[in-house]
Amino acid sequence: MSWLRQLFSHRSRYQELSEPIREHLDEKIADLMDRGMTREQAERVARREFGNVAVIEERSREVWLWPRWDSLLGDAKLALRQVSRSPGFVLVACLTLALGIGANTAIFSVVNALLLNNLPYVQPQRIGTLYARTTGSHPSDERRTIDGEQWELLRDNVPSVLSAVSAIHPAGVVLQTASHAQYLHSGRISARYFDVLGIQPALGQNFTAEDDLPNGPRVAILSYSLWRTAFGKDQHVLGQVVLLKGEPYTVVGVLPEHATTPLDADIYTDLQPSRDGEGQTTNFLATVLLRNGFTWQEANSQIERALYQSHQTLEFARSNPDEKRTYYWMPLQQAQTQTLRPQVLALMLASGLVLLIACANLAGLALVRMLRRTGEIATRMALGASRWRIQRQLWIENLLVALIGGSAGIGLGFIALRSLLKMLPEHFLPVQHVPLDGRVLAFTLLLSLLTSILFGMLPAFATNKVDLRSSIGNRSVIGTGRARLRQGLIAGEVALTVLLLAAAGLLIHTLVHLETMSPGFNPNGVITAQASLDNVRYQDPRALQTLFRESLTAMQNIPGVESAAVGLTLPYERALLDGVTLSDGKQAGDQVTTNEVFVTADYFKTLQIPLLAGRVFTNSDGPSTQHVVVINETFARKFFHEANAVGRQLENNNKNAMVVGVVADTVLSSATHLVTDAAPLTDQETIYVPYVQVDDAKLLSMVHTWIQPSWIVRSAHPGDDLTAQMQRALASVDPGLPFSGFYSMSDLQAKTLAMQRIEVALLSTMAGLALLLSAIGIFALVAHMVAERSREIGIRLALGSTVREAMIYAAKSGVIAAAAGLILGLFVCAGVLRVLQSFLYGVQVYDSATFLSVVLTIAAVSALASTIPAFRVARIDPNKALREE
Amino acid sequence: MRKKPEYRDLFPGALELMILKSLSWRSMHGYALAQRLKEISEDYLRIEEGSLYPALQRMLKVGWLETEMGLSARNRPVRVFKVTEVGKKHLEQEIASVEKMFAGITRVLALAGE
């Protein structure tokens, strides 16, 4: 009875199934013994007449569709055994999956952090920002900035939201304490800003409506880290007066430790939003909290009423009477991630394609493996295992492989994510952390399950076609249908690879174009440093001139320095946009928008910007002499139409100025988001204005609130020593004005092109993975084909075929699959590559050079991947093949 | 000699029908049911004893049968299968439709012979 007891011992949960069977057997054995059999005989007969207990039990249980835990465990054990029996397959499969899943895990972490995780505020879903769209314009041509007048309308006429405004970016300012001067980022905000975000100060209070009034009290709220580093967590900091921008500010609050804001500043000061000064043009960013009891729709119609009805009186409408604008709220998260969203989603798509390619490869491999096991499977089916049961077994095996691959993928993904984040420049992502959190892990698990289905589906379905008799009788039957299936899989892989390679190729081409674009000046040997002039002491133009003159003299005295200058904007950076009125030429009287750069006299000499006509500024261009400007080539071509521009007049900042020179174009960051489809680097129309002739204190202080000027030094020996000497030179003139950072021109170029570099690096990685996987797929196809048909090939050789012909015959399947994939891929490219348009600069979507190199790469790689395994043909012994036949 | 047909060669539901009919006559435990089916079908049909159980499980699941504790002929405690009300109704319907089907087949055979 031991076999019975063993059978029924540890299965209490399913007792109700086994019990009747046990009773049946007990009764029967008793009956048989009554008829004179021994117990052994009776047991044997009972067992034989009953049939296979295990199979019957299993069938009984399948009725309930509730596979027993221990039967699953049994399957898993079997799977483990099966899987460990083919370590090569497992290694390749797990590695392939780990690469595919790792790439997806890393990219998804970014998607998760950027697009899925909530912002760290109390009511993140109810925080929004204002957007305006002008009818008839490009959808991406949206502005999110408002002016003082719009701010007042928003504050007073939209009851559904609690609104606040802030500066667009944190501004660089200098904090002076008794002992030292420190460079900080100041977030300039209105009252209610922290109320909107739901942040309560840890000490003190938020700004009040009185603080918002023009000429109201100047107050500051410290971030926790500044409170710690600069004030040593002084509990009595409230009410203290600090010198910020040279002005006294009273500290009224300290933020809690982990508080973050969209501005992410070190210190917050009151913006005092008004219609004058900054508020005259659109320099404010609105942030609002939807009040309880209202919906965004209601808020949208209120904002539309409030702003549109007053639209006619607004400054914008007066200057553009034909355009209609609609206003609406956009959730803050969406607004913050809008520019990155397409890139991130494109990468997610690319990594998804890589995974798909990996799955196609694995499906091919699993199919081969299944065919090798046809005999085993047929035997099991003949022994009474149901198809469902066998399929389940195969699923579990695939799942096991997928889970191993998935775990390895998490590890790889973690490493990839760390290196990706290291690659990103500071403040590149609008979030502080990119965690591998529960959602990422769940995603990876889901991905593993999904891949096991994707690559397990084909072989598992193939069991439906297993023909018992032929499988058991003749194990070398080759299904040409299945070979076709594998070829189809590989063609699909190659097609996706073509797409990824083409996309990566176009982005590489773009990056090369941008990097090799002539910058219009000589970047070698130039070191630059920025300092904030948003300082009450430099609102007087004469003080500014003194600072420039003395600091530049001190820098020119540094050994090795050839020349030094100050410029409001550097090449590769964003410039001040301003309107000038042309007084001359065909367009006389027109107001045009241009980049405007304030410079000191040696700016062109220091950067070595070529002079094309006229002259550059000299020291004789003074505050009281004729106002002059230098224009760049694009400006001259655009507004003076090839005619000699030197000597023309224009009106700038209410002053008449004469064009005295034309210089070469230099690259600038595209100035605004208003310019659609703009490259990160462009030659835009630019005028240069001598700093010495800007005598409007209000204009200077406003410009310096937004843009920090740069000291530029050209030296024979640029290096760390030089930056220290520059620092000393500035400190000798004004110890309270620290530089915010030193950059070489290549640093600045790299900063501007960071996005492109990252895109290229990531997409190229994906494309490289895809290519590798496709090569592996082709290799495996041909290798398998050679192994399977070695007898056939041997006969061909015996019948007089040369080795070369036999090799071509063997390699054909891979080459045909790759060629079909290549053609399919080109069609796919023609269909979908257009979405890349906005990522490309200086390259056409259907760039023939790129496509030619893609085609050549694929052709070379697939030829290689098909030929190498075909060399095995040479080792086939025709005599052996004949003997076997 | 020709092998006796197995139950799986019958029309679908035939085994269930036989089980229901047997149990509606008297509730029985598995072994007794197997004996009974063997007795009555001896001449026509070979039923592997074990095949009963998957069918019994199926019928328990759809609610045609239920089990209760009872005693075997040897006075051992056993699970006895009993037809439920739903099972009875199903049996009636099945018998009706099987009779109709056989009547149909018989007629076709009769006519086809002429």
Side-chain angles (χ1 to χ4, degrees):
Chain A
M1 273 295 261
S2 62
W3 62 274
L4 262 183
R5 226 173 292 123
Q6 214 178 356
L7 201 60
F8 297 121
S9 56
H10 60 285
R11 293 180 181 168
S12 58
R13 192 168 164 192
Y14 288 89
Q15 211 88 63
E16 71 274 16
L17 294 175
S18 323
E19 278 300 301
I21 296 177
R22 190 180 62 78
E23 289 160 10
H24 179 116
L25 290 166
D26 281 351
E27 289 278 311
K28 174 137 194 169
I29 290 164
D31 263 6
L32 292 172
M33 283 164 71
D34 282 355
R35 291 189 215 161
M37 285 189 192
T38 64
R39 175 161 278 276
E40 273 101 60
Q41 284 172 323
E43 275 180 14
R44 206 165 43 240
V45 172
R47 202 171 157 191
R48 193 179 61 232
E49 290 191 359
F50 189 83
N52 186 334
V53 176
V55 169
I56 285 160
E57 262 207 315
E58 190 183 288
R59 280 222 308 272
S60 304
R61 282 185 182 111
E62 279 169 9
V63 165
W64 297 89
L65 279 180
W66 186 258
R68 277 184 347 244
W69 183 237
D70 51 349
S71 107
L72 274 179
L73 212 66
D75 280 358
K77 275 187 204 151
L78 182 61
L80 209 60
R81 254 201 324 276
Q82 288 289 1
V83 159
S84 63
R85 219 184 275 169
S86 38
F89 165 77
V90 175
L91 197 71
V92 171
C94 288
L95 260 178
T96 308
L97 272 177
L99 288 176
I101 290 179
N104 278 275
T105 302
I107 301 295
F108 181 77
S109 309
V110 177
V111 171
N112 179 42
L114 277 189
L115 310 182
L116 299 178
N117 275 359
N118 277 327
L119 295 169
Y121 307 122
V122 178
Q123 291 177 288
Q125 309 300 339
R126 302 183 74 83
I127 301 176
T129 184
L130 181 68
Y131 264 76
R133 180 180 292 154
T134 308
T135 40
S137 68
H138 192 275
S140 69
D141 185 9
E142 289 175 324
R143 24 187 351 152
R144 45 198 289 243
T145 51
I146 58 173
D147 62 24
E149 204 176 347
Q150 287 173 309
W151 154 238
E152 284 170 17
L153 288 168
L154 172 63
R155 182 189 57 196
D156 303 332
N157 298 303
V158 188
S160 54
V161 295
L162 181 64
S163 45
V165 286
S166 66
I168 301 163
H169 301 291
V173 295
V174 174
L175 171 77
Q176 273 171 296
T177 60
S179 54
H180 71 296
Q182 189 181 356
Y183 175 84
L184 297 176
H185 285 108
S186 146
R188 296 174 311 119
I189 57 173
S190 74
R192 302 288 197 168
Y193 186 74
F194 291 124
D195 297 330
V196 166
L197 299 179
I199 297 172
Q200 281 304 313
L203 282 182
Q205 58 177 40
N206 286 337
F207 295 152
T208 62
E210 287 81 66
D211 300 326
D212 269 5
L213 297 174
N215 305 315
R218 308 250 58 171
V219 287
I221 293 179
L222 310 177
S223 71
Y224 189 89
S225 64
L226 183 67
W227 182 51
R228 198 187 56 223
T229 54
F231 297 88
K233 288 200 189 180
D234 181 3
Q235 293 289 329
H236 305 294
V237 74
L238 296 184
Q240 274 187 30
V241 174
V242 296
L243 215 53
L244 206 59
K245 311 190 273 186
E247 284 177 288
Y249 278 73
T250 310
V251 176
V252 297
V254 175
L255 291 185
E257 191 167 359
H258 295 293
T260 53
T261 72
L263 283 168
D264 198 21
D266 304 306
I267 191 166
Y268 296 86
T269 56
D270 46 352
L271 178 64
Q272 299 189 340
S274 68
R275 294 181 180 215
D276 302 328
E278 234 181 310
Q280 234 165 18
T281 43
T282 51
N283 286 310
F284 296 152
L285 198 62
T287 308
V288 300
L289 177 72
L290 187 66
R291 286 185 204 267
N292 284 331
F294 287 97
T295 64
W296 283 117
Q297 282 76 16
E298 287 165 329
N300 269 341
S301 52
Q302 285 182 7
I303 184 74
E304 186 63 15
R305 257 201 311 281
L307 287 181
Y308 184 68
Q309 282 179 356
S310 328
H311 184 68
Q312 306 311 322
T313 63
L314 292 174
E315 184 273 329
F316 164 79
R318 283 195 298 271
S319 54
N320 305 282
D322 300 333
E323 289 181 2
K324 182 178 177 293
R325 230 170 226 203
T326 44
Y327 298 89
Y328 55 94
W329 305 110
M330 186 181 282
L332 192 61
Q333 177 143 31
Q334 197 183 336
Q336 282 193 344
T337 55
Q338 216 181 9
T339 49
L340 284 174
R341 185 180 292 258
Q343 273 91 339
V344 169
L345 293 180
L347 275 173
M348 192 76 232
L349 186 71
S351 57
L353 290 184
V354 169
L355 191 63
L356 206 59
I357 292 173
C359 284
N361 250 0
L362 291 176
L365 283 178
L367 198 63
V368 171
R369 196 161 156 268
M370 227 289 298
L371 289 178
R372 290 206 181 118
R373 287 168 56 187
T374 308
E376 172 207 329
I377 288 166
T379 309
R380 286 186 63 199
M381 280 169 77
L383 290 176
S386 64
R387 283 179 199 279
W388 187 76
R389 183 68 202 272
I390 292 202
Q391 284 185 5
R392 194 177 79 184
Q393 176 65 39
L394 290 173
W395 286 115
I396 289 176
E397 280 180 40
N398 290 325
L399 188 62
L400 196 70
V401 171
L403 287 179
I404 298 172
S407 329
I410 288 180
L412 265 183
F414 182 76
I415 297 168
L417 181 63
R418 289 302 121 199
S419 34
L420 168 64
L421 291 179
K422 234 175 252 166
M423 214 165 78
L424 297 179
E426 223 182 332
H427 296 297
F428 185 80
L429 296 178
V431 292
Q432 264 79 21
H433 305 288
V434 181
L436 270 182
D437 59 9
R439 185 157 20 192
V440 176
L441 295 181
F443 171 80
T444 308
L445 183 68
L446 195 76
L447 218 54
S448 306
L449 294 177
L450 200 74
T451 50
S452 79
I453 291 171
L454 272 180
F455 81 84
M457 198 149 57
L458 274 175
F461 282 157
T463 57
N464 284 334
K465 293 187 195 145
V466 170
D467 178 357
L468 290 184
R469 260 153 302 187
S470 74
S471 302
I472 295 174
N474 176 7
R475 291 185 186 209
S476 66
V477 168
I478 306 152
T480 44
R482 277 175 207 134
R484 286 269 156 68
L485 190 58
R486 280 197 83 194
Q487 276 186 307
L489 282 173
I490 283 163
E493 276 176 46
V494 172
L496 293 180
T497 305
V498 169
L499 181 65
L500 285 175
L501 274 181
L506 289 174
L507 283 188
I508 291 172
H509 213 127
T510 296
L511 185 63
V512 169
H513 167 78
L514 291 174
E515 282 194 336
T516 54
M517 222 168 108
S518 161
F521 67 100
N522 177 8
N524 302 320
V526 176
I527 293 288
T528 70
Q530 294 184 331
S532 169
L533 290 182
D534 184 12
N535 196 306
V536 71
R537 289 175 298 145
Y538 295 113
Q539 278 169 14
D540 176 3
R542 277 166 307 178
L544 193 72
Q545 299 308 333
T546 311
L547 172 76
F548 286 162
R549 196 174 53 244
E550 293 178 0
S551 61
L552 289 177
T553 308
M555 285 182 196
Q556 261 151 356
N557 288 336
I558 298 171
V561 167
E562 289 156 15
S563 67
V566 175
L568 187 63
T569 302
L570 292 173
Y572 300 120
E573 295 202 321
R574 284 172 60 159
L576 171 71
L577 266 191
D578 205 358
V580 298
T581 308
L582 305 172
S583 334
D584 233 342
K586 280 188 197 135
Q587 281 175 265
D590 280 6
Q591 205 196 23
V592 298
T593 304
T594 175
N595 291 304
E596 185 168 346
V597 186
F598 300 160
V599 297
T600 59
D602 284 345
Y603 181 82
F604 303 101
K605 182 183 157 199
T606 310
L607 287 179
Q608 295 181 357
I609 298 172
L611 176 69
L612 305 178
R615 64 173 178 91
V616 292
F617 303 130
T618 65
N619 287 327
S620 58
D621 294 314
S624 49
T625 58
Q626 151 90 58
H627 282 260
V628 291
V629 293
V630 165
I631 60 176
N632 75 344
E633 210 183 336
T634 301
F635 192 103
R637 192 177 54 241
K638 205 158 165 187
F639 300 120
F640 296 120
H641 307 286
E642 310 292 335
N644 189 6
V646 175
R648 305 273 179 167
Q649 300 281 324
L650 49 80
E651 192 188 312
N652 177 34
N653 301 321
N654 305 319
K655 298 260 167 43
N656 278 315
M658 189 176 72
V659 176
V660 292
V662 179
V663 293
D665 290 337
T666 59
V667 289
L668 289 167
S669 271
S670 77
T672 69
H673 56 282
L674 290 174
V675 184
T676 51
D677 297 333
L681 297 176
T682 52
D683 322 326
Q684 294 167 334
E685 53 275 25
T686 306
I687 67 169
Y688 297 91
V689 177
Y691 243 123
V692 71
Q693 289 186 338
V694 184
D695 54 5
D696 183 344
K698 203 171 157 193
L699 173 73
L700 275 178
S701 87
M702 210 190 305
V703 167
H704 288 155
T705 312
W706 305 321
I707 304 176
Q708 299 178 56
S710 294
W711 274 255
I712 313 159
V713 162
R714 177 176 290 281
S715 168
H717 324 287
D720 290 346
D721 189 41
L722 178 62
T723 60
Q725 285 173 307
M726 283 171 76
Q727 181 86 61
R728 276 201 294 280
L730 184 66
S732 71
V733 179
D734 182 354
L737 202 65
F739 283 125
S740 58
F742 294 89
Y743 305 97
S744 70
M745 277 296 162
S746 56
D747 290 340
L748 292 179
Q749 191 202 27
K751 230 165 97 181
T752 321
L753 295 181
M755 188 61 160
Q756 274 66 34
R757 288 207 174 144
I758 290 159
E759 277 170 10
V760 163
L762 290 178
L763 201 61
S764 304
T765 308
M766 302 296 166
L769 278 177
L771 191 62
L772 179 71
L773 291 171
S774 292
I776 291 173
I778 295 168
F779 184 97
L781 173 82
V782 175
H784 177 242
M785 190 268 186
V786 172
E788 284 282 295
R789 301 199 184 169
S790 60
R791 197 166 57 180
E792 182 194 335
I793 294 170
I795 292 166
R796 280 169 183 265
L797 288 170
L799 293 179
S801 160
T802 65
V803 171
R804 200 168 141 265
E805 282 163 354
M807 263 179 66
I808 290 171
Y809 170 73
K812 212 170 65 185
S813 63
V815 172
I816 287 174
L822 188 56
I823 291 163
L824 184 65
L826 291 176
F827 275 111
V828 172
C829 283
V832 304
L833 223 48
R834 219 161 319 178
V835 299
L836 268 183
Q837 188 82 63
S838 62
F839 297 105
L840 304 182
Y841 312 106
V843 181
Q844 291 302 308
V845 170
Y846 303 115
D847 177 54
S848 52
T850 305
F851 278 93
L852 192 65
S853 35
V854 168
V855 169
L856 288 179
T857 307
I858 298 262
V861 167
S862 39
L864 209 63
S866 314
T867 315
I868 292 173
F871 270 112
R872 284 194 204 167
V873 165
R875 274 191 269 146
I876 294 174
D877 179 359
N879 294 325
K880 199 174 156 217
L882 275 183
R883 263 200 309 279
E884 276 175 7
E885 194 61 12
Chain B
M1 197 189 96
R2 222 180 129 252
K3 229 172 97 181
K4 281 183 206 169
E6 292 188 30
Y7 80 93
R8 61 188 112 209
D9 298 330
L10 298 177
F11 61 91
L15 183 65
E16 275 91 346
L17 196 58
M18 290 189 289
I19 292 172
L20 274 179
K21 184 69 191 170
S22 307
L23 291 176
S24 70
W25 169 63
R26 182 162 64 84
S27 298
M28 277 178 277
H29 59 111
Y31 178 61
L33 177 64
Q35 295 291 97
R36 169 81 186 152
L37 284 178
K38 208 186 232 170
E39 256 166 50
I40 57 175
S41 68
E42 195 81 77
D43 297 330
Y44 317 103
L45 208 54
R46 191 174 70 89
I47 299 175
E48 201 180 51
E49 286 174 18
S51 315
L52 275 184
Y53 288 89
L56 285 170
Q57 292 303 336
R58 231 170 5 248
M59 293 162 80
L60 280 172
K61 192 188 176 195
V62 294
W64 296 339
L65 299 183
E66 57 192 8
T67 59
E68 53 186 26
M69 289 310 291
L71 286 177
S72 72
R74 300 174 177 277
N75 267 343
R76 297 186 198 216
V78 287
R79 273 156 200 74
V80 170
F81 293 91
K82 184 181 164 192
V83 182
T84 61
E85 284 308 311
V86 184
K88 279 178 190 153
K89 215 166 271 167
H90 174 77
L91 176 62
E92 279 165 27
Q93 285 167 4
E94 276 302 288
I95 290 176
S97 76
V98 166
E99 278 172 353
K100 234 188 205 160
M101 184 174 86
F102 279 114
I105 292 172
T106 314
R107 257 178 62 198
V108 169
L109 291 177
L111 291 172
E114 280 172 14

